[in-house]
Coordinates of all heavy atoms in Angstrom, one line a residue:
V1 N -6.3 2.2 -2.1 CA -6.9 3.5 -1.6 C -5.9 4.1 -0.6 O -5.7 5.3 -0.7 CB -8.3 3.2 -0.9 CG1 -8.7 4.5 -0.2 CG2 -9.3 2.8 -2.0
S2 N -5.4 3.3 0.3 CA -4.5 3.9 1.3 C -3.2 4.5 0.7 O -2.8 5.6 1.0 CB -4.1 2.8 2.3 OG -5.2 2.4 3.0
H3 N -2.7 3.7 -0.3 CA -1.5 4.2 -1.0 C -1.8 5.5 -1.8 O -1.0 6.4 -1.7 CB -1.0 3.1 -1.9 CG 0.2 3.5 -2.8 ND1 1.4 4.0 -2.2 CD2 0.4 3.6 -4.1 CE1 2.2 4.3 -3.1 NE2 1.7 4.0 -4.3
K4 N -2.9 5.5 -2.5 CA -3.3 6.7 -3.2 C -3.4 7.9 -2.3 O -3.0 9.0 -2.7 CB -4.5 6.4 -4.0 CG -5.0 7.6 -4.9 CD -6.2 7.2 -5.8 CE -6.6 8.3 -6.7 NZ -7.1 9.5 -5.9
T5 N -4.1 7.7 -1.2 CA -4.3 8.8 -0.2 C -3.0 9.3 0.3 O -2.8 10.5 0.4 CB -5.2 8.3 0.9 OG1 -6.4 7.9 0.4 CG2 -5.4 9.5 1.9
M6 N -2.1 8.4 0.7 CA -0.8 8.8 1.2 C 0.0 9.6 0.1 O 0.7 10.6 0.5 CB 0.0 7.6 1.6 CG -0.5 6.9 2.8 SD -0.4 7.9 4.4 CE -2.1 8.4 4.5
R7 N -0.1 9.2 -1.1 CA 0.6 10.0 -2.2 C 0.1 11.4 -2.3 O 0.9 12.3 -2.4 CB 0.5 9.3 -3.5 CG 1.2 8.0 -3.6 CD 1.0 7.3 -5.0 NE 1.4 8.2 -6.1 CZ 1.2 7.9 -7.4 NH1 0.6 6.7 -7.7 NH2 1.6 8.7 -8.3
R8 N -1.2 11.6 -2.2 CA -1.7 12.9 -2.2 C -1.5 13.7 -0.9 O -1.2 14.9 -1.0 CB -3.2 12.9 -2.5 CG -3.6 12.3 -3.9 CD -5.0 12.6 -4.2 NE -5.3 14.0 -4.4 CZ -5.0 14.8 -5.4 NH1 -4.4 14.2 -6.4 NH2 -5.2 16.1 -5.4
A9 N -1.5 13.0 0.2 CA -1.2 13.7 1.5 C 0.3 14.2 1.5 O 0.6 15.2 2.1 CB -1.5 12.8 2.6
R10 N 1.2 13.4 0.8 CA 2.6 13.8 0.8 C 2.8 15.2 0.1 O 3.7 15.9 0.4 CB 3.4 12.7 0.1 CG 4.9 13.0 0.1 CD 5.6 11.8 -0.6 NE 5.6 10.7 0.2 CZ 6.5 10.5 1.2 NH1 7.5 11.3 1.4 NH2 6.5 9.4 1.9
Q11 N 1.9 15.5 -0.8 CA 2.0 16.8 -1.6 C 1.5 18.0 -0.8 O 1.7 19.1 -1.2 CB 1.2 16.6 -2.9 CG 1.6 15.5 -3.8 CD 0.7 15.3 -4.9 OE1 -0.2 16.0 -5.2 NE2 1.0 14.2 -5.7
D12 N 0.8 17.8 0.4 CA 0.3 18.9 1.2 C 1.4 19.3 2.2 O 1.8 18.4 3.0 CB -1.0 18.4 1.9 CG -1.7 19.6 2.4 OD1 -1.2 20.5 3.1 OD2 -2.9 19.8 2.1
A13 N 1.7 20.5 2.2 CA 2.8 21.0 3.1 C 2.4 20.8 4.6 O 3.3 20.7 5.5 CB 3.0 22.5 2.9
D14 N 1.1 20.8 4.9 CA 0.7 20.6 6.3 C 1.1 19.2 6.9 O 1.2 19.1 8.1 CB -0.8 20.7 6.5 CG -1.3 22.2 6.2 OD1 -0.5 23.1 6.6 OD2 -2.4 22.4 5.7
N15 N 1.4 18.3 6.0 CA 1.8 17.0 6.5 C 3.3 16.8 6.4 O 3.8 15.7 6.7 CB 1.2 15.9 5.6 CG -0.4 16.0 5.5 OD1 -1.0 16.2 6.5 ND2 -0.9 16.0 4.3
A16 N 4.0 17.8 6.2 CA 5.5 17.7 6.0 C 6.2 17.2 7.3 O 7.2 16.4 7.1 CB 6.1 19.1 5.7
P17 N 5.8 17.5 8.5 CA 6.4 17.0 9.7 C 6.5 15.4 9.7 O 7.4 14.8 10.2 CB 5.6 17.5 10.9 CG 5.1 18.8 10.4 CD 4.8 18.5 8.9
F18 N 5.5 14.8 9.1 CA 5.4 13.3 9.1 C 6.2 12.8 7.9 O 7.1 12.0 8.0 CB 4.0 12.8 9.0 CG 3.9 11.3 8.8 CD1 4.1 10.5 9.9 CD2 3.7 10.8 7.6 CE1 4.0 9.1 9.7 CE2 3.6 9.4 7.4 CZ 3.7 8.6 8.5
F19 N 5.9 13.3 6.7 CA 6.5 12.8 5.4 C 7.9 13.1 5.3 O 8.6 12.5 4.5 CB 5.6 13.2 4.2 CG 4.3 12.5 4.2 CD1 3.2 13.2 4.4 CD2 4.2 11.2 3.8 CE1 1.9 12.5 4.4 CE2 3.0 10.5 3.7 CZ 1.9 11.2 4.0
S20 N 8.4 14.2 6.0 CA 9.8 14.5 5.9 C 10.7 13.4 6.6 O 11.9 13.3 6.3 CB 10.1 15.8 6.5 OG 9.8 15.8 7.9
Q21 N 10.0 12.6 7.4 CA 10.7 11.5 8.1 C 10.4 10.1 7.6 O 11.0 9.1 8.0 CB 10.3 11.5 9.6 CG 10.5 12.9 10.3 CD 12.0 13.2 10.4 OE1 12.8 12.4 10.8 NE2 12.3 14.5 10.0
V22 N 9.5 10.1 6.6 CA 9.1 8.8 6.0 C 9.2 8.9 4.5 O 8.7 9.7 3.9 CB 7.6 8.5 6.4 CG1 7.2 7.1 5.8 CG2 7.5 8.4 7.9
G23 N 10.0 7.9 4.0 CA 10.2 7.9 2.5 C 9.0 7.4 1.8 O 8.1 6.7 2.3
P24 N 8.9 7.7 0.5 CA 7.8 7.2 -0.4 C 7.8 5.7 -0.4 O 8.9 5.0 -0.4 CB 8.1 7.8 -1.7 CG 9.0 8.9 -1.5 CD 9.8 8.5 -0.3
A25 N 6.6 5.1 -0.6 CA 6.5 3.6 -0.7 C 7.0 3.2 -2.1 O 6.9 3.9 -3.1 CB 5.1 3.2 -0.5
T26 N 7.7 2.0 -2.1 CA 8.1 1.4 -3.3 C 7.4 0.1 -3.6 O 6.6 -0.4 -2.7 CB 9.7 1.2 -3.3 OG1 9.9 0.2 -2.2 CG2 10.4 2.5 -3.0
A27 N 7.7 -0.5 -4.8 CA 7.0 -1.7 -5.1 C 7.3 -2.8 -4.1 O 6.5 -3.7 -3.8 CB 7.4 -2.2 -6.5
R28 N 8.5 -2.8 -3.5 CA 8.9 -3.8 -2.5 C 8.0 -3.7 -1.3 O 7.8 -4.8 -0.6 CB 10.4 -3.6 -2.1 CG 10.9 -4.6 -1.1 CD 12.4 -4.3 -0.8 NE 13.2 -4.4 -2.0 CZ 14.5 -4.1 -2.0 NH1 15.2 -3.8 -0.9 NH2 15.2 -4.2 -3.1
D29 N 7.5 -2.6 -0.9 CA 6.7 -2.4 0.2 C 5.3 -3.1 0.1 O 4.6 -3.3 1.1 CB 6.4 -0.9 0.5 CG 7.7 -0.2 0.9 OD1 8.5 -0.7 1.7 OD2 8.0 0.9 0.4
F30 N 5.0 -3.5 -1.1 CA 3.7 -4.1 -1.3 C 3.8 -5.6 -1.7 O 2.8 -6.2 -2.1 CB 2.9 -3.4 -2.5 CG 2.7 -1.9 -2.2 CD1 3.5 -0.9 -2.7 CD2 1.6 -1.6 -1.4 CE1 3.3 0.4 -2.4 CE2 1.4 -0.2 -1.1 CZ 2.2 0.8 -1.6
V31 N 4.9 -6.2 -1.5 CA 5.1 -7.6 -1.8 C 4.2 -8.5 -0.9 O 3.5 -9.4 -1.4 CB 6.6 -8.0 -1.6 CG1 6.8 -9.5 -1.7 CG2 7.5 -7.3 -2.7
I32 N 4.2 -8.2 0.4 CA 3.4 -9.0 1.3 C 1.9 -8.9 1.0 O 1.2 -9.8 1.0 CB 3.7 -8.6 2.8 CG1 5.2 -8.9 3.1 CG2 2.8 -9.3 3.7 CD1 5.6 -8.5 4.5
Q33 N 1.5 -7.6 0.8 CA 0.1 -7.4 0.5 C -0.3 -8.1 -0.8 O -1.4 -8.7 -0.9 CB -0.2 -5.9 0.4 CG -0.2 -5.1 1.7 CD 1.2 -4.7 2.1 OE1 2.2 -5.2 1.5 NE2 1.3 -3.8 3.0
T34 N 0.5 -8.0 -1.8 CA 0.2 -8.7 -3.1 C 0.1 -10.2 -2.9 O -0.8 -10.9 -3.4 CB 1.3 -8.4 -4.1 OG1 1.4 -7.0 -4.3 CG2 1.0 -9.1 -5.4
A35 N 1.1 -10.8 -2.1 CA 1.1 -12.2 -1.8 C -0.2 -12.6 -1.1 O -0.8 -13.7 -1.3 CB 2.3 -12.6 -1.0
I36 N -0.7 -11.8 -0.2 CA -1.9 -12.1 0.6 C -3.1 -12.1 -0.3 O -3.9 -13.0 -0.2 CB -2.1 -11.0 1.7 CG1 -1.1 -11.2 2.8 CG2 -3.5 -11.1 2.3 CD1 -1.1 -10.1 3.9
V37 N -3.2 -11.1 -1.2 CA -4.3 -11.1 -2.2 C -4.3 -12.3 -3.0 O -5.4 -13.0 -3.2 CB -4.3 -9.8 -3.0 CG1 -5.3 -9.9 -4.1 CG2 -4.5 -8.6 -2.1
I38 N -3.2 -12.7 -3.6 CA -3.1 -13.9 -4.4 C -3.4 -15.1 -3.7 O -4.1 -16.0 -4.2 CB -1.6 -14.0 -5.0 CG1 -1.4 -12.8 -6.0 CG2 -1.5 -15.3 -5.8 CD1 0.0 -12.8 -6.5
A39 N -2.9 -15.2 -2.4 CA -3.2 -16.4 -1.6 C -4.7 -16.6 -1.3 O -5.2 -17.7 -1.4 CB -2.4 -16.4 -0.3
L40 N -5.4 -15.5 -1.0 CA -6.8 -15.5 -0.7 C -7.6 -15.9 -2.0 O -8.5 -16.7 -1.9 CB -7.3 -14.2 -0.2 CG -6.9 -13.8 1.2 CD1 -7.3 -12.4 1.5 CD2 -7.6 -14.7 2.2
I41 N -7.2 -15.4 -3.1 CA -7.9 -15.7 -4.4 C -7.7 -17.2 -4.7 O -8.7 -17.9 -5.1 CB -7.4 -14.8 -5.5 CG1 -7.9 -13.4 -5.3 CG2 -7.9 -15.3 -6.9 CD1 -7.3 -12.4 -6.3
L42 N -6.5 -17.7 -4.6 CA -6.2 -19.1 -4.9 C -6.9 -20.0 -3.9 O -7.5 -21.0 -4.4 CB -4.7 -19.4 -4.8 CG -3.8 -18.7 -5.9 CD1 -2.4 -19.0 -5.7 CD2 -4.3 -19.2 -7.3
A43 N -7.0 -19.6 -2.7 CA -7.7 -20.4 -1.7 C -9.2 -20.4 -2.0 O -9.9 -21.5 -1.9 CB -7.5 -19.9 -0.3
G44 N -9.7 -19.3 -2.4 CA -11.1 -19.2 -2.8 C -11.4 -20.1 -3.9 O -12.5 -20.8 -4.0
L45 N -10.6 -20.0 -5.0 CA -10.8 -20.9 -6.1 C -10.8 -22.4 -5.8 O -11.5 -23.2 -6.3 CB -9.8 -20.6 -7.2 CG -9.9 -19.2 -7.9 CD1 -8.7 -18.9 -8.8 CD2 -11.2 -19.0 -8.6
Y46 N -9.8 -22.7 -4.9 CA -9.7 -24.1 -4.4 C -11.0 -24.6 -3.8 O -11.6 -25.6 -4.1 CB -8.6 -24.3 -3.5 CG -8.6 -25.6 -2.8 CD1 -8.1 -26.8 -3.4 CD2 -9.0 -25.7 -1.4 CE1 -8.2 -28.0 -2.7 CE2 -9.0 -26.9 -0.8 CZ -8.6 -28.0 -1.4 OH -8.7 -29.3 -0.8
F47 N -11.5 -23.8 -2.8 CA -12.7 -24.2 -2.1 C -13.9 -24.2 -2.9 O -14.9 -25.0 -2.7 CB -12.9 -23.3 -0.8 CG -11.9 -23.6 0.3 CD1 -10.9 -22.7 0.6 CD2 -11.9 -24.8 1.0 CE1 -10.0 -22.9 1.5 CE2 -11.0 -25.0 2.0 CZ -10.0 -24.1 2.3
E48 N -14.0 -23.3 -3.9 CA -15.1 -23.2 -4.8 C -15.2 -24.3 -5.7 O -16.3 -24.8 -6.1 CB -15.1 -21.8 -5.5 CG -16.4 -21.4 -6.1 CD -17.5 -21.2 -5.1 OE1 -17.2 -20.9 -3.9 OE2 -18.7 -21.3 -5.4

């Protein structure tokens, strides 16, 4: 949800002062989040 919102906010000129200084997110930026989700699911399966 956060990523989708940021993508749409980047298209609005009113947010240009911020997004002109911050590059778009890439797949590499979500490596940690993906690892966290996988780790939580695996831990859940283990305990279950």
Side-chain angles (χ1 to χ4, degrees):
V1 170
S2 297
H3 177 55
K4 183 175 180 296
T5 301
M6 288 297 101
R7 288 180 59 186
R8 295 196 62 80
R10 181 179 289 276
Q11 300 172 5
D12 196 307
D14 289 327
N15 304 315
F18 175 80
F19 287 107
S20 62
Q21 305 296 313
V22 179
T26 63
R28 181 179 299 178
D29 296 314
F30 299 99
V31 171
I32 295 178
Q33 289 86 344
T34 303
I36 289 172
V37 171
I38 294 174
L40 285 172
I41 291 176
L42 291 178
L45 292 174
Y46 167 79
F47 288 111
E48 198 62 24

